[in-house]
Coordinates of all heavy atoms in Angstrom, one line a residue:
M1 N 53.4 104.5 -32.0 CA 54.2 103.4 -32.5 C 53.4 102.1 -32.5 O 52.8 101.8 -31.5 CB 55.5 103.3 -31.7 CG 56.4 102.2 -32.2 SD 57.9 102.0 -31.2 CE 58.8 103.4 -31.9
E2 N 53.4 101.4 -33.6 CA 52.6 100.1 -33.6 C 53.3 99.1 -32.8 O 54.5 98.9 -32.9 CB 52.5 99.7 -35.1 CG 51.7 98.4 -35.3 CD 51.6 98.0 -36.7 OE1 51.8 98.9 -37.6 OE2 51.4 96.8 -37.0
R3 N 52.6 98.3 -32.1 CA 53.1 97.2 -31.3 C 53.4 96.0 -32.2 O 52.7 95.7 -33.1 CB 52.1 96.7 -30.3 CG 51.8 97.8 -29.2 CD 52.6 97.3 -28.0 NE 52.2 98.1 -26.9 CZ 53.0 98.6 -26.0 NH1 54.3 98.4 -26.1 NH2 52.6 99.3 -25.0
P4 N 54.5 95.3 -31.9 CA 54.8 94.1 -32.7 C 53.9 93.0 -32.2 O 53.4 93.0 -31.1 CB 56.3 93.8 -32.3 CG 56.5 94.4 -31.0 CD 55.6 95.7 -31.0
H5 N 53.6 92.1 -33.1 CA 52.7 90.9 -32.7 C 53.0 89.8 -33.7 O 53.7 89.9 -34.7 CB 51.3 91.3 -32.8 CG 50.8 91.7 -34.1 ND1 51.0 92.9 -34.7 CD2 50.1 91.0 -35.1 CE1 50.5 93.0 -35.9 NE2 50.0 91.8 -36.2
V6 N 52.5 88.6 -33.3 CA 52.6 87.5 -34.2 C 51.3 87.2 -34.8 O 50.2 87.2 -34.1 CB 53.0 86.2 -33.3 CG1 53.1 85.0 -34.2 CG2 54.4 86.4 -32.7
T7 N 51.3 87.1 -36.1 CA 50.0 86.9 -36.8 C 49.5 85.4 -36.6 O 50.3 84.6 -36.1 CB 50.2 87.2 -38.3 OG1 51.0 86.2 -38.9 CG2 50.8 88.6 -38.5
A8 N 48.3 85.1 -37.1 CA 47.8 83.8 -37.1 C 48.7 82.8 -37.8 O 48.7 81.6 -37.5 CB 46.4 83.8 -37.6
R9 N 49.4 83.3 -38.8 CA 50.3 82.4 -39.6 C 51.7 82.3 -38.9 O 52.6 81.7 -39.5 CB 50.4 82.9 -41.0 CG 49.2 82.7 -41.7 CD 49.4 83.2 -43.2 NE 48.1 83.0 -43.9 CZ 48.0 82.5 -45.0 NH1 49.1 82.1 -45.7 NH2 46.8 82.3 -45.6
G10 N 51.9 83.0 -37.8 CA 53.2 82.9 -37.1 C 54.2 83.9 -37.6 O 55.4 83.8 -37.1
R11 N 53.9 84.8 -38.4 CA 54.9 85.8 -38.9 C 55.1 86.9 -37.9 O 54.1 87.4 -37.3 CB 54.4 86.4 -40.2 CG 54.5 85.4 -41.3 CD 54.4 86.0 -42.6 NE 54.5 85.0 -43.6 CZ 54.0 85.1 -44.8 NH1 53.3 86.1 -45.2 NH2 54.2 84.1 -45.7
L12 N 56.3 87.2 -37.6 CA 56.6 88.3 -36.7 C 56.6 89.6 -37.4 O 57.3 89.8 -38.4 CB 58.0 88.0 -36.1 CG 58.5 89.0 -35.1 CD1 57.7 89.0 -33.8 CD2 60.0 88.6 -34.7
W13 N 55.8 90.5 -36.9 CA 55.7 91.9 -37.5 C 56.4 92.8 -36.5 O 56.0 92.8 -35.3 CB 54.3 92.3 -37.8 CG 53.7 91.5 -38.8 CD1 52.9 90.3 -38.7 CD2 53.8 91.6 -40.2 NE1 52.5 89.8 -39.9 CE2 53.0 90.6 -40.8 CE3 54.4 92.6 -41.0 CZ2 52.9 90.5 -42.2 CZ3 54.3 92.5 -42.4 CH2 53.6 91.4 -43.0
R14 N 57.3 93.6 -37.0 CA 58.0 94.5 -36.1 C 57.9 95.9 -36.7 O 57.7 96.1 -37.9 CB 59.5 94.1 -36.1 CG 59.7 92.8 -35.5 CD 61.2 92.4 -35.5 NE 61.7 92.4 -36.9 CZ 62.8 92.9 -37.2 NH1 63.6 93.5 -36.4 NH2 63.2 92.8 -38.5
D15 N 58.1 96.9 -35.9 CA 58.2 98.2 -36.4 C 59.7 98.6 -36.5 O 60.6 97.8 -36.3 CB 57.4 99.2 -35.6 CG 57.7 99.1 -34.1 OD1 58.7 98.5 -33.7 OD2 56.8 99.5 -33.3
A16 N 60.0 99.9 -36.8 CA 61.3 100.3 -37.1 C 62.3 100.2 -36.0 O 63.5 100.2 -36.2 CB 61.3 101.7 -37.6
W17 N 61.9 100.0 -34.8 CA 62.9 100.0 -33.7 C 63.6 98.7 -33.5 O 64.6 98.6 -32.8 CB 62.2 100.4 -32.3 CG 61.1 99.5 -31.9 CD1 59.8 99.8 -32.1 CD2 61.2 98.3 -31.2 NE1 59.0 98.7 -31.6 CE2 59.9 97.8 -31.0 CE3 62.2 97.5 -30.6 CZ2 59.6 96.7 -30.3 CZ3 61.9 96.4 -30.0 CH2 60.6 95.9 -29.8
G18 N 63.3 97.7 -34.3 CA 64.1 96.5 -34.3 C 63.3 95.3 -33.7 O 62.1 95.2 -33.8
G19 N 64.0 94.5 -33.0 CA 63.5 93.2 -32.4 C 62.5 93.5 -31.3 O 62.3 94.6 -30.8
V20 N 61.9 92.4 -30.9 CA 60.9 92.4 -29.8 C 61.4 91.5 -28.7 O 62.3 90.7 -29.0 CB 59.5 91.9 -30.3 CG1 58.9 92.9 -31.3 CG2 59.5 90.6 -30.8
R21 N 60.9 91.6 -27.5 CA 61.3 90.7 -26.5 C 60.3 89.6 -26.3 O 59.0 89.8 -26.4 CB 61.3 91.4 -25.1 CG 62.5 92.4 -25.1 CD 62.6 93.1 -23.7 NE 61.3 93.6 -23.2 CZ 60.9 93.3 -22.0 NH1 61.7 92.7 -21.1 NH2 59.7 93.7 -21.6
Y22 N 60.7 88.3 -26.2 CA 59.9 87.2 -26.1 C 60.2 86.5 -24.7 O 61.3 86.6 -24.2 CB 60.2 86.1 -27.1 CG 59.4 86.2 -28.4 CD1 59.6 87.1 -29.3 CD2 58.3 85.3 -28.5 CE1 58.8 87.2 -30.5 CE2 57.5 85.3 -29.7 CZ 57.8 86.3 -30.6 OH 57.0 86.3 -31.8
E23 N 59.2 85.8 -24.2 CA 59.3 85.0 -23.1 C 59.0 83.6 -23.5 O 58.0 83.4 -24.2 CB 58.4 85.4 -21.9 CG 58.6 84.5 -20.7 CD 57.7 84.9 -19.6 OE1 56.4 85.0 -19.8 OE2 58.2 85.2 -18.5
F24 N 59.8 82.6 -23.1 CA 59.6 81.2 -23.4 C 59.5 80.5 -22.0 O 60.3 80.7 -21.2 CB 60.8 80.6 -24.1 CG 61.1 81.3 -25.4 CD1 62.1 82.3 -25.4 CD2 60.5 80.9 -26.6 CE1 62.4 83.0 -26.6 CE2 60.8 81.6 -27.8 CZ 61.7 82.6 -27.8
L25 N 58.5 79.6 -21.9 CA 58.3 78.9 -20.6 C 58.5 77.4 -20.9 O 57.9 76.9 -21.9 CB 57.0 79.1 -20.0 CG 56.6 80.5 -19.6 CD1 55.2 80.6 -19.0 CD2 57.6 81.0 -18.5
V26 N 59.4 76.8 -20.2 CA 59.6 75.3 -20.3 C 59.2 74.7 -18.9 O 59.4 75.3 -17.9 CB 61.0 74.9 -20.7 CG1 61.3 75.4 -22.1 CG2 62.0 75.5 -19.7
P27 N 58.6 73.5 -18.9 CA 58.1 72.9 -17.7 C 59.1 72.3 -16.7 O 58.7 71.7 -15.7 CB 57.1 71.9 -18.2 CG 57.7 71.4 -19.5 CD 58.3 72.6 -20.1
V28 N 60.3 72.4 -17.0 CA 61.4 71.8 -16.2 C 62.4 72.9 -15.7 O 62.5 73.9 -16.4 CB 62.1 70.7 -16.9 CG1 61.2 69.5 -17.2 CG2 62.8 71.1 -18.1
R29 N 63.1 72.6 -14.7 CA 64.2 73.5 -14.3 C 65.4 73.2 -15.1 O 65.8 72.0 -15.2 CB 64.5 73.4 -12.8 CG 63.4 73.9 -11.9 CD 63.8 73.9 -10.5 NE 62.7 74.5 -9.7 CZ 62.8 74.6 -8.4 NH1 63.8 74.2 -7.7 NH2 61.8 75.1 -7.8
L30 N 66.0 74.2 -15.7 CA 67.1 74.0 -16.6 C 68.4 73.9 -15.8 O 68.6 74.6 -14.9 CB 67.2 75.1 -17.6 CG 66.1 75.3 -18.6 CD1 66.4 76.4 -19.6 CD2 65.8 74.0 -19.3
S31 N 69.2 73.0 -16.2 CA 70.6 72.9 -15.6 C 71.4 74.0 -16.1 O 71.0 74.7 -17.1 CB 71.2 71.5 -16.1 OG 71.5 71.6 -17.5
E32 N 72.6 74.2 -15.5 CA 73.5 75.3 -16.0 C 73.9 75.0 -17.4 O 74.1 75.9 -18.2 CB 74.7 75.4 -15.0 CG 74.4 76.0 -13.7 CD 73.8 77.4 -13.8 OE1 74.3 78.2 -14.6 OE2 72.8 77.7 -13.1
T33 N 74.1 73.8 -17.8 CA 74.5 73.4 -19.1 C 73.4 73.8 -20.1 O 73.7 74.4 -21.2 CB 74.8 71.9 -19.2 OG1 75.8 71.6 -18.3 CG2 75.2 71.5 -20.6
A34 N 72.2 73.5 -19.8 CA 71.1 73.9 -20.7 C 70.9 75.4 -20.7 O 70.7 76.0 -21.8 CB 69.8 73.3 -20.2
R35 N 71.1 76.1 -19.6 CA 71.0 77.6 -19.6 C 72.1 78.2 -20.5 O 71.9 79.2 -21.1 CB 71.1 78.1 -18.2 CG 69.9 77.9 -17.3 CD 70.1 78.4 -15.9 NE 69.1 77.9 -15.1 CZ 68.3 78.7 -14.4 NH1 68.4 80.0 -14.5 NH2 67.3 78.2 -13.6
A36 N 73.3 77.5 -20.5 CA 74.4 78.0 -21.3 C 74.1 78.0 -22.8 O 74.7 78.7 -23.6 CB 75.6 77.3 -21.0
A37 N 73.1 77.2 -23.2 CA 72.8 77.1 -24.6 C 72.0 78.4 -25.1 O 71.8 78.6 -26.3 CB 71.9 75.9 -24.9
F38 N 71.6 79.2 -24.1 CA 70.8 80.4 -24.4 C 71.5 81.6 -23.7 O 70.9 82.3 -22.9 CB 69.4 80.3 -23.9 CG 68.7 79.1 -24.5 CD1 68.6 77.9 -23.8 CD2 68.1 79.2 -25.7 CE1 68.0 76.8 -24.3 CE2 67.4 78.1 -26.3 CZ 67.4 76.9 -25.6
P39 N 72.7 82.0 -24.1 CA 73.5 83.0 -23.4 C 72.8 84.4 -23.5 O 73.0 85.3 -22.7 CB 74.9 83.0 -24.0 CG 74.7 82.4 -25.3 CD 73.5 81.4 -25.2
E40 N 72.0 84.6 -24.6 CA 71.4 85.9 -24.8 C 70.1 86.1 -24.1 O 69.5 87.1 -24.1 CB 71.2 86.1 -26.3 CG 70.3 85.2 -27.0 CD 71.0 83.9 -27.5 OE1 71.2 83.0 -26.6 OE2 71.3 83.8 -28.7
L41 N 69.6 85.0 -23.4 CA 68.4 85.1 -22.7 C 68.6 85.1 -21.2 O 69.5 84.5 -20.7 CB 67.5 83.9 -23.0 CG 67.0 83.8 -24.5 CD1 66.2 82.5 -24.7 CD2 66.3 85.0 -25.0
N42 N 67.7 85.9 -20.5 CA 67.7 85.9 -19.0 C 66.9 84.7 -18.6 O 66.0 84.2 -19.3 CB 67.0 87.1 -18.5 CG 67.8 88.4 -18.9 OD1 68.9 88.6 -18.6 ND2 67.1 89.2 -19.8
T43 N 67.2 84.2 -17.4 CA 66.4 83.0 -16.9 C 66.0 83.2 -15.5 O 66.6 84.0 -14.7 CB 67.2 81.7 -17.0 OG1 68.4 81.9 -16.2 CG2 67.6 81.4 -18.4
A44 N 64.9 82.6 -15.1 CA 64.3 82.6 -13.7 C 63.4 81.5 -13.6 O 63.0 80.8 -14.6 CB 63.6 83.9 -13.5
S45 N 63.0 81.2 -12.3 CA 62.0 80.1 -12.1 C 60.7 80.5 -12.8 O 60.4 81.7 -12.9 CB 61.8 80.0 -10.6 OG 62.9 79.5 -10.0
G46 N 60.0 79.5 -13.3 CA 58.8 79.8 -14.0 C 57.7 80.3 -13.0 O 57.9 80.3 -11.8
P47 N 56.6 80.8 -13.5 CA 55.6 81.4 -12.7 C 55.0 80.5 -11.7 O 54.6 80.9 -10.6 CB 54.6 82.0 -13.7 CG 54.8 81.3 -14.9 CD 56.3 80.9 -14.9
T48 N 55.0 79.2 -11.9 CA 54.5 78.2 -11.0 C 55.6 77.6 -10.1 O 55.3 76.8 -9.3 CB 53.7 77.1 -11.7 OG1 54.6 76.4 -12.6 CG2 52.5 77.6 -12.5
G49 N 56.9 78.0 -10.4 CA 58.0 77.6 -9.6 C 58.5 76.2 -10.0 O 59.6 75.9 -9.6
G50 N 57.9 75.5 -10.9 CA 58.4 74.2 -11.3 C 59.1 74.2 -12.6 O 59.8 73.2 -12.9
G51 N 59.1 75.2 -13.3 CA 59.7 75.3 -14.6 C 60.7 76.4 -14.7 O 61.2 76.9 -13.7
T52 N 61.0 76.8 -15.9 CA 62.0 77.9 -16.2 C 61.4 78.9 -17.2 O 60.8 78.5 -18.2 CB 63.3 77.4 -16.7 OG1 63.8 76.4 -15.8 CG2 64.3 78.5 -16.8
A53 N 61.5 80.1 -16.9 CA 61.2 81.2 -17.8 C 62.5 81.8 -18.4 O 63.4 82.0 -17.7 CB 60.4 82.3 -17.1
L54 N 62.5 81.9 -19.7 CA 63.6 82.5 -20.4 C 63.1 83.7 -21.2 O 62.1 83.5 -21.9 CB 64.3 81.5 -21.3 CG 64.9 80.3 -20.7 CD1 63.9 79.1 -20.8 CD2 66.2 79.8 -21.4
W55 N 63.8 84.8 -21.2 CA 63.3 86.0 -21.9 C 64.4 86.8 -22.5 O 65.5 86.8 -21.9 CB 62.3 86.8 -21.1 CG 63.0 87.5 -20.0 CD1 63.4 88.8 -20.0 CD2 63.3 87.0 -18.7 NE1 64.0 89.2 -18.8 CE2 63.9 88.1 -18.0 CE3 63.1 85.8 -18.1 CZ2 64.4 87.9 -16.7 CZ3 63.6 85.6 -16.8 CH2 64.2 86.7 -16.1
G56 N 64.1 87.5 -23.6 CA 65.1 88.4 -24.1 C 64.8 88.8 -25.5 O 63.7 88.4 -26.0
P57 N 65.7 89.5 -26.2 CA 65.4 90.0 -27.6 C 65.3 88.9 -28.6 O 66.1 88.0 -28.6 CB 66.5 91.0 -27.8 CG 67.6 90.4 -27.0 CD 67.0 89.8 -25.8
V58 N 64.4 89.1 -29.5 CA 64.3 88.2 -30.7 C 64.3 89.2 -31.9 O 63.4 90.0 -32.0 CB 63.0 87.3 -30.7 CG1 62.9 86.6 -32.0 CG2 63.1 86.4 -29.5
E59 N 65.3 89.1 -32.8 CA 65.4 90.1 -33.8 C 64.5 89.9 -35.0 O 64.0 90.9 -35.6 CB 66.8 90.1 -34.3 CG 67.8 90.6 -33.3 CD 67.6 92.0 -32.8 OE1 67.2 92.8 -33.6 OE2 67.7 92.2 -31.6
D60 N 64.2 88.7 -35.4 CA 63.4 88.4 -36.6 C 62.9 87.0 -36.6 O 63.1 86.2 -35.6 CB 64.1 88.7 -37.9 CG 65.4 88.0 -38.0 OD1 65.6 86.9 -37.4 OD2 66.3 88.5 -38.7
E61 N 62.2 86.6 -37.6 CA 61.7 85.2 -37.7 C 62.8 84.1 -37.7 O 62.6 83.1 -37.1 CB 60.8 85.0 -38.9 CG 59.5 85.8 -38.9 CD 58.7 85.6 -40.1 OE1 58.5 84.4 -40.5 OE2 58.2 86.6 -40.7
A62 N 63.9 84.4 -38.3 CA 65.0 83.5 -38.3 C 65.6 83.3 -36.9 O 65.9 82.2 -36.5 CB 66.1 83.9 -39.3
D63 N 65.6 84.4 -36.2 CA 66.1 84.3 -34.8 C 65.2 83.5 -33.9 O 65.6 82.7 -33.1 CB 66.2 85.7 -34.2 CG 67.2 85.9 -33.1 OD1 68.1 85.0 -32.9 OD2 67.1 86.9 -32.3
L64 N 63.9 83.7 -34.1 CA 62.8 82.9 -33.4 C 63.0 81.5 -33.7 O 62.9 80.6 -32.8 CB 61.4 83.5 -33.7 CG 60.3 82.8 -33.0 CD1 60.4 82.9 -31.5 CD2 59.0 83.4 -33.5
A65 N 63.1 81.1 -35.0 CA 63.3 79.7 -35.4 C 64.5 79.1 -34.8 O 64.5 77.9 -34.4 CB 63.3 79.6 -36.9
D66 N 65.6 79.9 -34.7 CA 66.8 79.4 -34.0 C 66.6 79.0 -32.6 O 67.0 78.0 -32.1 CB 67.9 80.4 -34.2 CG 69.2 80.0 -33.5 OD1 69.8 79.0 -33.9 OD2 69.6 80.7 -32.5
F67 N 65.9 79.9 -31.8 CA 65.6 79.6 -30.4 C 64.8 78.3 -30.3 O 65.1 77.5 -29.5 CB 64.9 80.8 -29.8 CG 65.7 81.9 -29.4 CD1 65.5 83.2 -29.9 CD2 66.8 81.8 -28.5 CE1 66.2 84.3 -29.5 CE2 67.5 82.9 -28.1 CZ 67.3 84.1 -28.7
L68 N 63.8 78.2 -31.1 CA 62.9 77.0 -31.1 C 63.7 75.8 -31.4 O 63.5 74.7 -30.8 CB 61.7 77.2 -31.9 CG 60.7 78.3 -31.5 CD1 59.6 78.5 -32.5 CD2 60.2 78.1 -30.1
A69 N 64.6 75.9 -32.4 CA 65.4 74.7 -32.7 C 66.3 74.3 -31.6 O 66.5 73.1 -31.3 CB 66.2 75.0 -34.0
R70 N 66.9 75.3 -30.9 CA 67.8 75.0 -29.8 C 67.0 74.3 -28.7 O 67.5 73.4 -28.1 CB 68.5 76.3 -29.2 CG 69.6 76.7 -30.1 CD 70.4 77.8 -29.4 NE 70.0 79.1 -29.9 CZ 70.4 80.2 -29.3 NH1 71.1 80.2 -28.3 NH2 70.0 81.4 -29.8
F71 N 65.8 74.8 -28.4 CA 65.0 74.1 -27.4 C 64.7 72.6 -27.8 O 64.9 71.7 -27.0 CB 63.6 74.8 -27.2 CG 63.7 76.1 -26.4 CD1 63.4 77.3 -27.0 CD2 64.0 76.1 -25.1 CE1 63.4 78.5 -26.3 CE2 64.0 77.2 -24.3 CZ 63.8 78.4 -24.9
A72 N 64.3 72.4 -29.1 CA 64.1 71.1 -29.6 C 65.3 70.2 -29.5 O 65.2 69.0 -29.1 CB 63.5 71.2 -31.0
N73 N 66.5 70.7 -29.9 CA 67.7 70.0 -29.9 C 68.1 69.5 -28.5 O 68.7 68.5 -28.3 CB 68.8 70.8 -30.5 CG 68.7 70.9 -32.0 OD1 68.0 70.1 -32.6 ND2 69.4 71.9 -32.6
L74 N 67.7 70.3 -27.5 CA 67.9 69.9 -26.1 C 66.8 69.0 -25.5 O 66.8 68.6 -24.3 CB 68.1 71.1 -25.2 CG 69.3 72.0 -25.5 CD1 69.2 73.3 -24.7 CD2 70.6 71.2 -25.0
G75 N 65.8 68.7 -26.3 CA 64.7 67.9 -25.9 C 63.7 68.6 -25.0 O 63.0 68.0 -24.2
L76 N 63.7 70.0 -25.1 CA 62.9 70.8 -24.2 C 61.6 71.2 -24.9 O 61.6 71.5 -26.1 CB 63.6 72.1 -23.8 CG 64.9 71.9 -23.0 CD1 65.6 73.2 -22.8 CD2 64.5 71.3 -21.6
T77 N 60.5 71.1 -24.2 CA 59.2 71.5 -24.8 C 58.9 72.9 -24.3 O 58.9 73.2 -23.1 CB 58.1 70.5 -24.3 OG1 58.4 69.2 -24.7 CG2 56.7 70.9 -24.8
V78 N 58.6 73.8 -25.2 CA 58.2 75.1 -24.9 C 56.7 75.1 -24.7 O 55.9 74.8 -25.6 CB 58.5 76.1 -26.0 CG1 58.0 77.5 -25.7 CG2 60.1 76.2 -26.2
V79 N 56.2 75.3 -23.5 CA 54.8 75.2 -23.2 C 54.0 76.5 -23.4 O 52.8 76.6 -23.5 CB 54.5 74.7 -21.8 CG1 54.9 73.2 -21.6 CG2 55.1 75.5 -20.7
E80 N 54.8 77.6 -23.4 CA 54.2 78.9 -23.7 C 55.3 79.8 -24.2 O 56.5 79.8 -23.8 CB 53.6 79.6 -22.4 CG 52.9 80.8 -22.6 CD 52.3 81.4 -21.4 OE1 52.0 80.7 -20.4 OE2 52.0 82.6 -21.4
M81 N 54.9 80.7 -25.2 CA 55.8 81.6 -25.8 C 55.0 82.9 -26.0 O 53.8 82.8 -26.5 CB 56.3 81.0 -27.1 CG 57.0 81.9 -28.0 SD 57.5 80.9 -29.4 CE 56.3 81.3 -30.6
R82 N 55.5 84.0 -25.7 CA 54.7 85.3 -25.9 C 55.6 86.4 -26.1 O 56.8 86.5 -25.6 CB 53.8 85.5 -24.7 CG 54.5 85.8 -23.4 CD 53.5 85.9 -22.2 NE 54.2 86.1 -21.0 CZ 54.0 87.2 -20.3 NH1 53.2 88.2 -20.7 NH2 54.7 87.4 -19.1
V83 N 55.1 87.4 -26.8 CA 55.8 88.7 -26.9 C 55.6 89.5 -25.6 O 54.4 89.6 -25.1 CB 55.2 89.5 -28.1 CG1 55.8 90.9 -28.2 CG2 55.5 88.7 -29.4
L84 N 56.6 90.1 -25.1 CA 56.5 90.9 -23.9 C 56.2 92.3 -24.2 O 56.7 92.8 -25.3 CB 57.8 90.8 -23.1 CG 58.1 89.4 -22.5 CD1 59.5 89.4 -21.9 CD2 57.1 88.9 -21.5
P85 N 55.5 93.0 -23.4 CA 55.3 94.4 -23.6 C 56.6 95.2 -23.5 O 57.6 94.8 -22.9 CB 54.3 94.8 -22.6 CG 54.5 93.8 -21.5 CD 54.9 92.6 -22.2
D86 N 56.6 96.4 -24.1 CA 57.8 97.3 -24.0 C 58.2 97.5 -22.6 O 57.5 97.6 -21.7 CB 57.5 98.6 -24.7 CG 57.3 98.5 -26.2 OD1 57.6 97.4 -26.7 OD2 56.8 99.4 -26.8

């Protein structure tokens, strides 16, 4: 089965099994209110302990754009975003 990936142009390529899992890292600890804006994502302290990691399924490019818009609307900077392995 071919692995999903993001191309140089940012297009999400998926295979027949559906969405992929993404992890988003923000450099701040999110409040409960901010976490509530992402009910479909899991959250934990970031890898360095100072930020927040959010991860979960992303169905397609529109879904990815929606997540990024929600981060932006909350004034949050995504410092890293990556596709997680199966």
Side-chain angles (χ1 to χ4, degrees):
M1 178 180 285
E2 182 181 338
R3 293 257 191 223
H5 64 280
V6 176
T7 68
R9 293 180 180 227
R11 291 193 176 153
L12 179 64
W13 293 94
R14 300 177 297 136
D15 47 19
W17 59 265
V20 296
R21 292 183 316 129
Y22 265 78
E23 179 181 54
F24 305 92
L25 298 178
V26 294
V28 296
R29 290 190 179 176
L30 296 185
S31 67
E32 287 301 316
T33 302
R35 288 176 191 240
F38 303 95
E40 61 275 80
L41 297 179
N42 299 297
T43 61
S45 293
T48 59
T52 304
L54 300 94
W55 70 95
V58 175
E59 295 300 320
D60 53 26
E61 289 180 50
D63 202 22
L64 181 58
D66 177 62
F67 282 120
L68 295 175
R70 282 191 264 169
F71 284 114
N73 288 338
L74 291 170
L76 298 169
T77 300
V78 176
V79 294
E80 185 176 338
M81 165 177 104
R82 66 186 179 115
V83 174
L84 296 174
D86 293 346

